[in-house]
Structure formats: structure tokens, C-alpha cells
Amino acid sequence: MASALKTYGTLIGFVLVVVFFWIEIPDTFMTAKNWLNISQQVSMLAVVAFTMTIVMVMGDFDLSVGSMASLAGIVAALAFHDGYGVWAGVALALVIGLAGGLLNGALVAYVGILPFVATLGTLTIYSGLAFLVSGGKTIFGRDIPAGFSGFARSGIPLSDTVSLPSLTIVAALVLLAVWFVLEQTTFGRRLYAIGGNKEAARLAGIRVKRLRFFAFGLSGLGAATAGLMYASRVASANPTQGSGLMLDAIAAVFLGMTMSEEGEPHVLATLVGVLILGVLGNGLTQMSIDSYVREVLIGTIIVLAVATSSIGKARS
């Protein structure tokens, strides 16, 4: 019983949260339209959290994802402003995200800087670059092509009144890709080995430095993808757009980790963490509860979940 509670406690908590909002707001919460709306609201966070899982599997962190998301949106918007097409702007932003992630990987794997310190430094660099190249201004209006902003409003019709949002589809594809990489490939198994014991992994012949280098690259690519999704959704880009993504993404991965016997990150468990944050945000907004209360609740839930998991492991 205690073991099941430790493993499924987060999932049970998620179900209880859903039941609570279902009872409190019966007319609007448990509807297909609202759940599709939640899936769209959390799609940017989901993409960052899924790719953050790749890094946290190794026991590392990437604190720069929020700034990279902002920078990627700015880069794409500036490319549109200069007359480049949608695909060119998107490709340029993704290249910037990949390059920024690989820079993090190089600093961590080859220079030997602690991930917390290295990505905290690049967080500041990417944020400063976003302000520098944009002049600190929001880019919107005619500078954002209709083909780009229209993507976030598009979707696959499921009935006369609801559609599966394109942003949700992107997040689902990223989830599938990360699950495949981590759970079905040698690359993913080696990342878990690094997370278990870096020195033992190195002695076993695993190229630890190279794998950490590429894992951070994937995290940067995910952050840039989320930045583009955000810019498309609000049809604008500003240098602080991605702020808040980093903490929520790490929180989602931590919540998911409490569902693992070994306390390891798994991307499907991360999905549960993302949904908990998304449902809380949606339900509290519908109940007209102040956003500061949401922050207090989320912080409390994370501390309780991680503390319960830690106490359970210490006793086992």
C-alpha cells in the first residue's frame, strides 16, 4: 500500500485535482472544449519540459530555456521584419536554439563548468541578446506574417464546434520523439546510465562528454520550438516572452520524477506533471482565483510531492 501510494501518489493527486474542479465548476471544466483549451495552453510548457527531461535524465539542468525561447521568437520576428519567409524565419530561430543548446553542452561537457552555473550564465546572455537585437521592443502587427500567427489558431476539426489545436499536435509529436529517443534507443539508455553514475558510465566506454553535449543541444532546440509556438500564439515577440517557462518545466519534471521507483525522469511522467500545472492554472482561472495563489499552490504541491518521494525512498 505504501509503495503504491509512493509510486502513484502524484497521479492520484492529479485525479483528485480534476475531480475537485469538476465539482466546483461542473458546467465548464469537464468539457471537450476546455480540455482541448488546456492542451493548447500547456503545449509550449510541454515542449520545454519534454526536452528538459533529456537533460535531467543525466542529472543536469538547463536554466537557459526561458531566455532561449524569448530569443528564438525575437529572431524569427526580426527575420519576418526583414522580408524573409515564414519557413526561413522558423529555420533560423531553430538553428539559433540548437546552437545555444550546444554552447551550453560545450561549457558543461568540455569546459567542465557545473550545469547550474553554465546555464545560469547563458540565461543572462540569451536574455541580453534578445533585448539587444530587438531594442527592448515588442515586435507585432504587420511584422508577423499571417501564415505564422495563423498556425496557432489552426487545428484539425473534431466536430462542428471543437478542433484539435495545431500547437497540441506539435507538443504530442515532440512527446513521441523524446519518448522514442529516451526509451527506445541506445542514445537514451546511455543518458540514463550517465544519470546513474557518470564515472561508471565513462569506464564502461560511454562517451559521456559527447552525449551531454548533444543532450543540451536538444534542450536548446526544444526551447526554440516553444518560443516559436508562443510567438505564433500571441502573434508577437518580446524579449521576456519565455520567462517563467524554465521554472515550470523543471517543476513538471520533478513532479513526474515522484512517480518513478528510482526517482528518475521519464517523459510520460513529465506529461503528468505538465497536466497538473495546466489543470491547476485553468481551474483556478475559471474560479477567478488570483494568479499569486496559483504560484503558492504549485510551489507547495511540488515541495510536498518531492518530500513525500524522498521520505519514501529513505525508508525503503
Side-chain angles (χ1 to χ4, degrees), residues 215-241:
F216 274 96
L218 292 175
S219 178
L221 188 62
T225 303
L228 289 168
M229 293 165 69
Y230 203 107
S232 173
R233 189 179 182 208
V234 298
S236 65
N238 73 66
T240 61
Q241 205 156 254

Side-chain angles (χ1 to χ4, degrees), residues 10 64-65 154 187 207 246 252 264 272 277:
T10 302
S64 67
V65 288
S154 65
F187 175 78
R207 296 182 176 180
M246 178 265 287
E264 290 179 335
V272 176
L277 300 181

Side-chain angles (χ1 to χ4, degrees), residues 229-315:
M229 293 165 69
Y230 203 107
S232 173
R233 189 179 182 208
V234 298
S236 65
N238 73 66
T240 61
Q241 205 156 254
S243 62
L245 277 177
M246 178 265 287
L247 286 177
D248 282 352
I250 292 176
V253 180
F254 267 126
L255 283 172
M257 286 170 64
T258 62
M259 297 173 60
S260 166
E261 284 283 343
E262 303 81 14
E264 290 179 335
H266 291 278
V267 71
L268 294 180
T270 299
L271 173 63
V272 176
V274 169
L275 289 175
I276 289 174
L277 300 181
V279 167
L280 271 175
N282 179 274
L284 293 175
T285 300
Q286 288 197 48
M287 292 176 68
S288 303
I289 294 177
D290 195 291
S291 62
Y292 298 122
V293 176
R294 172 185 176 272
E295 294 179 8
V296 172
L297 276 176
I298 288 174
T300 304
I301 289 171
I302 292 168
V303 170
L304 286 176
V306 176
T308 304
S309 176
S310 299
I311 292 171
K313 285 176 196 167
R315 289 180 175 175

Side-chain angles (χ1 to χ4, degrees), residues 64-312:
S64 67
V65 288
S67 296
M68 177 50 71
S70 300
L71 179 60
I74 289 291
V75 167
L78 288 175
F80 301 149
H81 174 75
D82 290 340
Y84 290 92
V86 172
W87 286 111
V90 168
L92 182 60
L94 292 177
V95 168
I96 292 293
L98 179 61
L102 291 176
L103 173 61
N104 287 334
L107 293 173
V108 171
Y110 293 107
V111 180
I113 304 175
L114 289 173
F116 180 85
V117 178
T119 58
L120 183 62
T122 53
L123 176 157
T124 308
I125 293 171
Y126 301 152
S127 177
L129 282 174
F131 275 98
L132 183 67
V133 298
S134 67
K137 300 176 181 176
T138 299
I139 303 168
F140 64 101
R142 295 179 182 176
D143 291 331
I144 306 298
F148 180 73
S149 58
F151 176 77
R153 292 191 290 272
S154 65
I156 299 175
L158 299 177
S159 69
D160 293 338
T161 56
V162 296
S163 297
L164 182 63
S166 296
L167 295 183
T168 302
I169 296 171
V170 172
L173 291 175
V174 173
L175 171 66
L176 183 62
V178 173
W179 173 82
F180 181 79
V181 168
L182 286 180
E183 308 294 340
Q184 303 295 321
T185 67
T186 303
F187 175 78
R189 287 191 287 275
R190 288 176 174 172
L191 293 185
Y192 277 110
I194 294 171
N197 189 318
K198 287 186 177 61
E199 185 60 19
R202 188 186 67 79
L203 293 174
I206 295 175
R207 296 182 176 180
V208 174
K209 291 182 178 179
R210 191 168 72 171
L211 293 184
R212 291 178 87 188
F213 175 68
F214 285 118
F216 274 96
L218 292 175
S219 178
L221 188 62
T225 303
L228 289 168
M229 293 165 69
Y230 203 107
S232 173
R233 189 179 182 208
V234 298
S236 65
N238 73 66
T240 61
Q241 205 156 254
S243 62
L245 277 177
M246 178 265 287
L247 286 177
D248 282 352
I250 292 176
V253 180
F254 267 126
L255 283 172
M257 286 170 64
T258 62
M259 297 173 60
S260 166
E261 284 283 343
E262 303 81 14
E264 290 179 335
H266 291 278
V267 71
L268 294 180
T270 299
L271 173 63
V272 176
V274 169
L275 289 175
I276 289 174
L277 300 181
V279 167
L280 271 175
N282 179 274
L284 293 175
T285 300
Q286 288 197 48
M287 292 176 68
S288 303
I289 294 177
D290 195 291
S291 62
Y292 298 122
V293 176
R294 172 185 176 272
E295 294 179 8
V296 172
L297 276 176
I298 288 174
T300 304
I301 289 171
I302 292 168
V303 170
L304 286 176
V306 176
T308 304
S309 176
S310 299
I311 292 171

Side-chain angles (χ1 to χ4, degrees), residues 34-56:
N34 188 50
W35 278 95
L36 289 170
N37 183 42
I38 291 173
S39 73
Q40 186 178 40
Q41 288 173 341
V42 301
S43 58
M44 289 77 72
L45 168 62
V47 169
V48 175
F50 295 156
T51 49
M52 176 77 83
T53 305
I54 299 174
V55 173
M56 291 181 68

